[in-house]
């Protein structure tokens, strides 16, 4: 069942077409990697799907809502209620603990619940670091706090923009293992990455070049790690 549909989506900045007539569909429960070189339009596509930017042309339907027709205030509500965002730069609040950073997402969605926030941290292996501040956490731990924050409100779709870009190999593997578990639980994952190793664990790979969708293929390598 389709969760996200893009039809002839373009994003134009002056003479630059950051996205050029992109059409694609993502089903519930899919794990999709969006790949391409710098300037290919990956982050622009992520920002539009994540309701952080609007397309110049085209139609975007998320969970039966045509977000290309929504106001900025409506997009903020949709992003809060339906989308979990994971960033390369973490964007944690420095003066809040890991637990409080997760609870901030609850605050803007409904009501903070410390027990639920602790359970989210436990799911990413950080319950024992709940009272630590970002400066007391490694890069990998900070990214896992971001994942817990993204998951706390049970979003329909999880968008991750270069989620392993600032991590060493060990922490990259930890994050990818969390993504594998989320996928097995039926979560919908869209991961923007330039890292082939990160792309290779997704079940479907979309390539962009110069704002155009140049390939969209099922990944034959997907599932190999689980079988080994």
């Amino acid at each position: 069942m389709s969760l996200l549909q893009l039809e002839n989506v373009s994003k134009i900045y002056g003479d630059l077409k950051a996205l050029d007539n992109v059409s694609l569909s993502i089903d519930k429960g899919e794990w999709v990697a969006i790949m391409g070189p710098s300037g290919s339009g990956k982050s622009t596509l992520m920002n539009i799907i994540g309701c952080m930017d609007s397309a110049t042309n085209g139609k975007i339907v998320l969970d039966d809502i045509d977000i290309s027709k929504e106001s900025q205030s409506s997009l903020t509500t949709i992003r809060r209620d339906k989308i979990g965002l994971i960033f390369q730069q973490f964007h944690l609040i420095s003066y809040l603990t890991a637990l409080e950073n997760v609870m901030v997402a609850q605050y803007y969605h409904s009501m903070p619940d410390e027990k639920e926030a602790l359970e989210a941290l436990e799911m990413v292996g950080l319950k024992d670091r709940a009272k630590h501040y970002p400066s007391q956490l490694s890069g990998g731990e900070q990214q896992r706090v971001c994942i817990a924050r993204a998951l706390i409100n049970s979003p329909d779709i999880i968008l991750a923009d270069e989620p392993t870009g600032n991590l060493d190999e060990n922490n990259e593997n930890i994050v990818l293992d969390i993504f594998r578990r989320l996928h097995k639980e039926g979560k919908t994952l869209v991961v923007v990455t330039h890292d082939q190793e990160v792309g290779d664990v997704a079940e479907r790979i979309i390539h962009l070049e110069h704002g155009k969708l140049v390939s969209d293929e099922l990944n034959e390598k997907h599932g190999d790690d689980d079988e080994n």
Side-chain angles (χ1 to χ4, degrees), residues 174-194:
I174 291 172
V175 168
L176 292 180
D177 282 342
I178 293 171
F179 285 176
R180 289 185 183 97
R181 188 168 75 245
L182 293 172
H183 179 245
K184 285 183 177 179
E185 293 171 358
K187 302 293 187 183
T188 306
L189 296 166
V190 179
V191 179
V192 165
T193 182
H194 68 276

Side-chain angles (χ1 to χ4, degrees), residues 4-62:
L4 176 70
Q5 294 174 299
L6 279 70
E7 298 177 11
N8 304 315
V9 171
S10 296
K11 181 66 178 181
I12 302 170
Y13 301 98
D15 295 329
L16 173 66
K17 276 194 174 181
L19 286 178
D20 189 358
N21 208 39
V22 171
S23 295
L24 60 89
S25 178
I26 295 173
D27 289 343
K28 288 183 178 180
E30 274 198 290
W31 181 356
V32 178
I34 298 175
M35 305 191 69
S38 296
S40 62
K42 303 188 303 297
S43 292
T44 300
L45 180 59
M46 174 69 79
N47 288 339
I48 290 173
I49 294 172
C51 297
M52 294 176 285
D53 199 359
S54 299
T56 305
N57 300 303
K59 181 178 181 180
I60 307 105
V61 178
L62 174 62

